[in-house]
Amino acid sequence: MNPVTEERAPEPLTEYAHRLTSRVRAFDRRHPLLWDAHITGFWVTAALIDYVGGGWRHNAHNLDVPGWLLLALSLGLSVPLLWRRTHPRAVLAAMALFALLNAWTGAALQAALLQLAVVYHIALRRPLRDLWWATALVIAPVLVSVARHGEGTWDQQLGSQLMSLTVAALIGITVRTRRNYTEALEDRARRLETERDQQARLATAAERARIAREMHDILGHNLSVITGLADGGRYAAAKSPERAAQALDAIATTSRQALTELRRLLDVMREDEQNQADLAPQPGLTDLGHLLDGVRSAGLPVHATTHGSPTLPPGRQLTVYRVIQEALTNTLKHAGPAATAQIELSYEDKGAVTVTITDTGTAARTDGTAQDGRGLPGMRERTALYGGTLEAGPRPHPEQGWRVRLHLPEENPQ
């Protein structure tokens, strides 16, 4: 395997640290108050140890600070940490008061450094402009301490405190940036997953519509022809048994043709999705003769006229075939027993074609405006795939009957 493309397995220690961090974060999300109480309890304990053990004396400017005041300062600089994540600005403001008192009295308790933890949370959760006034609140006790007790130089005290503030703020900004980046990646993954599911549903709906159109074209036309043949055979059975036998033969032929087309459609559906676009659904222009023979045998006289030579790809041939099939099927259903049909095909250069189907029916017709997504509305969908137009409606007065006109423009070069 190519070492460049080989996926590296995570290190055991890194994987363990990641799992441990994920568990801690999950526990924190489930029990935020419990986690905050543990952290606050740790720092409160450290502040009280500094007070009880006398460690504060090593840094104090004034060793005569009363014990009750030291206890109050220790608690005031540590207990507010319990709300550092939910109300960081209010916590910093409260701690600043104790920090100012700590600097004024000269106790110099180390618990004052816990303000940096609050600055971290302000940088992590609040607008970055809040860091300006947070810096002022943290720097103010340093200025008070230098001015009142005069130990150390201004630049040393301010430089040290500003460096600590900068580090705390940068850590908060870094964690915030990383968190925002991770959330953006997770949101993008969710949106891509949603988009993938939507595309799958749209593809499924389009495929169902395509199959429904094919089923309608195959079954609707052939069943209409079979119905016409059966009606004619029933009337001819008593007077002309030979005509009835011919009708039965035509019914058998039409049924076999319908079954063949259905098998072809099912074969296309079973093929791999990558090849579906190349497997043109069934018939083409070479099958028009069989189509017209079936319609004539069902009792509808049809005359066809062709201009030019057909040079259409399979997809366009199928569209022309299905439009003619649908128009003749509607004529069989609605035009009446004495109707005739006329088909005119005009082939032009570069795949352009115009087809006009007219009949002389006298019955009221609505087949061109059906709203169920089948029939001629389905043909309009086919036509739109090639940028063509399909018109269906009554013939102009004083002519009677129905007209369907299909036009497919020239193919665009790829």
Side-chain angles (χ1 to χ4, degrees):
M1 182 179 293
N2 190 346
V4 177
T5 59
E6 183 179 2
E7 185 177 353
R8 296 178 57 185
E11 296 292 337
L13 183 59
T14 302
E15 188 175 358
Y16 173 78
H18 177 70
R19 287 199 307 267
L20 181 61
T21 304
S22 299
R23 291 175 182 175
V24 171
R25 289 176 178 173
F27 178 82
D28 185 26
R29 285 192 297 268
R30 293 193 302 268
H31 310 285
L33 183 59
L34 182 61
W35 181 258
D36 288 341
H38 277 79
I39 297 296
T40 304
F42 172 80
W43 290 116
V44 169
T45 303
L48 292 178
I49 290 175
D50 185 52
Y51 157 64
V52 174
W56 63 278
R57 296 177 180 275
H58 298 288
N59 300 310
H61 304 305
N62 179 15
L63 299 179
D64 297 327
V65 180
W68 63 268
L69 183 56
L70 290 173
L71 178 60
L73 291 175
S74 298
L75 295 178
L77 291 171
S78 57
V79 172
L81 290 177
L82 182 63
W83 301 278
R84 72 193 184 282
R85 292 198 291 185
T86 55
H87 303 88
R89 294 185 299 181
V91 168
L92 184 62
M95 294 176 68
L97 296 176
F98 290 96
L100 285 172
L101 186 58
N102 180 50
W104 180 264
T105 59
L109 295 177
Q110 296 299 303
L113 295 176
L114 294 177
Q115 294 178 102
L116 298 178
V118 184
V119 172
Y120 162 79
H121 283 281
I122 290 177
L124 180 63
R125 291 178 168 82
R126 302 301 305 174
L128 295 182
R129 62 178 178 270
D130 288 352
L131 290 174
W132 292 108
W133 64 261
T135 300
L137 287 179
V138 177
I139 290 295
V142 177
L143 299 178
V144 171
S145 178
V146 174
R148 181 169 173 77
H149 303 286
E151 293 189 10
T153 62
W154 291 88
D155 55 348
Q156 288 178 343
Q157 296 289 338
L158 287 176
S160 175
Q161 190 71 351
L162 285 174
M163 180 61 70
S164 301
L165 272 170
T166 302
V167 172
L170 286 178
I171 293 175
I173 293 173
T174 302
V175 175
R176 178 178 188 164
T177 303
R178 179 65 179 177
R179 179 180 297 177
N180 292 340
Y181 177 71
T182 303
E183 291 176 354
L185 289 180
E186 292 175 351
D187 179 69
R188 183 172 181 268
R190 285 193 298 267
R191 287 189 285 108
L192 288 176
E193 184 177 356
T194 301
E195 182 178 354
R196 181 198 63 191
D197 294 340
Q198 290 175 345
Q199 292 293 336
R201 287 194 293 268
L202 289 175
T204 301
E207 182 65 11
R208 287 176 178 174
R210 185 187 71 84
I211 294 172
R213 287 196 300 268
E214 295 295 335
M215 296 293 289
H216 171 272
D217 295 336
I218 295 171
L219 296 178
H221 171 74
N222 288 288
L223 288 178
S224 296
V225 172
I226 290 172
T227 300
L229 290 170
D231 290 340
R234 183 182 61 184
Y235 290 120
K239 298 181 179 180
S240 178
E242 294 181 358
R243 294 289 301 274
Q246 292 176 358
L248 292 175
D249 290 339
I251 289 174
T253 301
T254 304
S255 301
R256 281 192 291 269
Q257 179 182 354
L259 288 174
T260 301
E261 291 192 41
L262 283 175
R263 289 194 185 100
R264 275 194 233 166
L265 177 62
L266 294 176
D267 289 340
V268 171
M269 291 169 57
R270 281 194 294 264
E271 292 292 338
D272 185 72
E273 289 184 24
Q274 296 180 353
N275 298 325
Q276 281 186 2
D278 299 330
L279 293 174
Q282 307 97 7
L285 295 177
T286 55
D287 300 299
L288 277 178
H290 297 292
L291 173 65
L292 299 183
D293 289 340
V295 173
R296 293 187 184 109
S297 63
L300 175 64
V302 182
H303 179 69
T305 304
T306 303
H307 305 283
S309 301
T311 57
L312 303 180
R316 290 185 170 230
Q317 290 189 37
L318 175 66
T319 299
V320 172
Y321 180 93
R322 291 302 191 199
V323 168
I324 294 174
Q325 183 185 54
E326 178 64 23
L328 295 179
T329 300
N330 289 332
T331 299
L332 279 172
K333 291 179 180 179
H334 307 291
T340 61
Q342 173 75 30
I343 302 174
E344 184 175 352
L345 295 94
S346 298
Y347 298 106
E348 304 172 19
D349 296 333
K350 300 181 180 179
V353 60
T354 301
V355 183
T356 304
I357 306 103
T358 57
D359 63 55
T360 59
T362 58
R365 301 279 291 276
T366 59
D367 49 291
T369 58
Q371 299 299 319
D372 58 354
R374 308 291 184 264
L376 290 177
M379 296 303 101
R380 288 192 176 94
E381 295 178 7
R382 291 182 184 274
T383 305
L385 294 176
Y386 300 97
T389 57
L390 184 75
E391 302 172 0
R395 298 173 66 185
H397 186 75
E399 296 178 335
Q400 292 183 337
W402 201 260
R403 182 183 70 174
V404 177
R405 184 179 182 276
L406 165 71
H407 176 70
L408 300 181
E410 295 181 357
E411 292 186 271
N412 293 325
Q414 301 297 323

